[in-house]
Amino acid sequence: MPPLLADAERLASTVVLGAHGRRRSGMGDEFWQYRPMAHGDEARMIDWRRSAKSDVHFIKEKEWQAAQSVLIWVDDSQSMAFTGDKNRATKSDRARLLALAMSVLLVRGGERVGLSTIGQAPRSGPVQLVRIAEALTSDRDSGDYGVPQTTGLPFQSRAIFISDFMGDMAPVEAAMAKAADRGVRGAMLQVLDPMEESFPFDGRTIFESMGGSLRHETLKAGDLKTRYLDRLAERKGRLTALTQQAAWQFDTHHTDGSAQAALLWLYRATERMH
């Protein structure tokens, strides 16, 4: 078992599972309600134990439950390898942990889950969790910034995008448009290092992308802070508007924050997708 999966299992165990069933009558295992027998009901549907307590025949209805397909995209670009403190998790480490812990919760809830990078349809069961863990821990060549992958996104399914979303916005907008065309609802979690929020730089500074394709040197880094923070706020605003238009959920998580809180937000976001 990959160590990442063990960590994800521990993190997932801290979240109390809710019911994913849809509140309507149908096929399922969970009890929903008793109701009086009506015209058209068959005798085999009668719950005789409940009916024996009354002069009316009662039907025992179960809650309709259907497994949902959830496809997760985790940004594996070089930008995600950044951390502002050697004792703090990289954005990539936190994103992978959250994605796998979320997969654990979904499988426990009877859902089908998959990674967009695996190239397979979402599946359920513990074997699928091992596949996801192995895919998340495998080394892949990637560019400076991630591009959301929507290959194999099933119609009327659910999706989760986890990234720093610091690259070109056009691919993100295109992915969201494709998801909307397929009737997909989802959640977008932006993972940032706290240094990327505070911009604690001053004086002579060399800024370089993790992949080395972008480089900027300045003698007055402090003069860039206001413009940088304005651009970051603008980007968050665009991401918020984009998700709102698609009826998605959006939030920002910082790597010095609680992984449990981020996982709980993701889990509740998926519950709101139903």
Side-chain angles (χ1 to χ4, degrees):
M1 180 183 297
L4 177 62
L5 183 53
D7 291 341
E9 291 273 8
R10 284 193 290 270
L11 178 58
S13 67
T14 66
V15 175
V16 178
L17 286 173
H20 274 277
R22 297 182 183 180
R23 302 300 296 176
R24 67 189 232 200
S25 176
M27 297 298 293
D29 298 321
E30 299 296 326
F31 169 74
W32 183 27
Q33 67 175 3
Y34 288 110
R35 65 167 177 81
M37 187 176 184
H39 179 71
D41 290 332
E42 300 179 14
R44 62 181 179 83
M45 300 170 62
I46 298 173
D47 187 285
W48 294 105
R49 180 174 297 181
R50 173 65 180 84
S51 299
K53 302 177 182 179
S54 173
D55 295 331
V56 179
H57 288 152
F58 281 90
I59 303 298
K60 182 180 182 180
E61 292 188 332
K62 295 182 179 180
E63 184 177 354
W64 184 76
Q65 293 181 308
Q68 295 287 328
S69 290
V70 182
L71 197 67
I72 302 176
W73 171 68
V74 182
D75 187 349
D76 63 350
S77 69
Q78 297 184 56
S79 170
M80 294 293 288
F82 175 74
T83 179
D85 188 327
K86 64 180 181 180
N87 296 316
R88 187 163 57 231
T90 65
K91 293 183 289 184
S92 179
D93 287 344
R94 181 57 57 86
R96 293 176 183 184
L97 175 61
L98 290 173
L100 189 51
M102 191 63 208
S103 299
V104 171
L105 290 178
L106 290 169
V107 166
R108 287 180 182 176
E111 314 284 28
R112 295 185 295 265
V113 63
L115 280 184
S116 57
T117 54
I118 292 180
Q120 297 177 345
R123 299 176 181 177
S124 59
V127 174
Q128 180 68 351
L129 293 177
V130 175
R131 292 193 190 101
I132 293 174
E134 291 175 343
L136 287 173
T137 53
S138 63
D139 293 329
R140 291 184 294 273
D141 293 331
S142 56
D144 268 344
Y145 299 101
V147 176
Q149 297 185 27
T150 55
T151 304
L153 192 61
F155 284 92
Q156 303 296 325
S157 62
R158 304 294 177 258
I160 296 174
F161 292 170
I162 306 178
S163 170
D164 59 8
F165 299 105
M166 297 292 269
D168 185 5
M169 281 290 295
V172 180
E173 294 169 346
M176 292 294 291
K178 182 176 181 180
D181 289 343
R182 289 175 170 262
V184 175
R185 297 182 63 186
M188 183 183 290
L189 182 66
Q190 181 183 41
V191 178
L192 296 177
D193 186 272
M195 186 177 287
E196 294 174 312
E197 289 276 14
S198 61
F199 199 83
F201 307 105
D202 199 9
R204 182 177 182 273
T205 307
I206 298 176
F207 297 99
E208 188 173 18
S209 64
M210 296 299 293
S213 64
L214 301 174
R215 189 176 188 275
H216 177 73
E217 182 175 353
T218 178
L219 297 177
K220 299 180 178 180
D223 292 347
L224 300 176
K225 183 171 184 176
T226 299
R227 278 184 289 169
Y228 169 82
L229 293 179
D230 287 345
R231 290 286 296 275
L232 181 60
E234 178 188 6
R235 177 163 296 247
K236 287 185 179 182
R238 289 180 65 184
L239 291 168
T240 299
L242 188 62
T243 51
Q244 287 178 343
Q245 291 170 3
W248 279 42
Q249 310 291 321
F250 173 76
D251 195 23
T252 299
H253 169 67
H254 302 121
T255 52
D256 65 340
S258 166
Q260 180 183 359
L263 178 61
L264 185 58
W265 179 86
L266 272 174
Y267 185 74
R268 288 175 174 170
T270 60
E271 288 189 320
R272 289 193 289 271
M273 296 177 198
H274 288 271

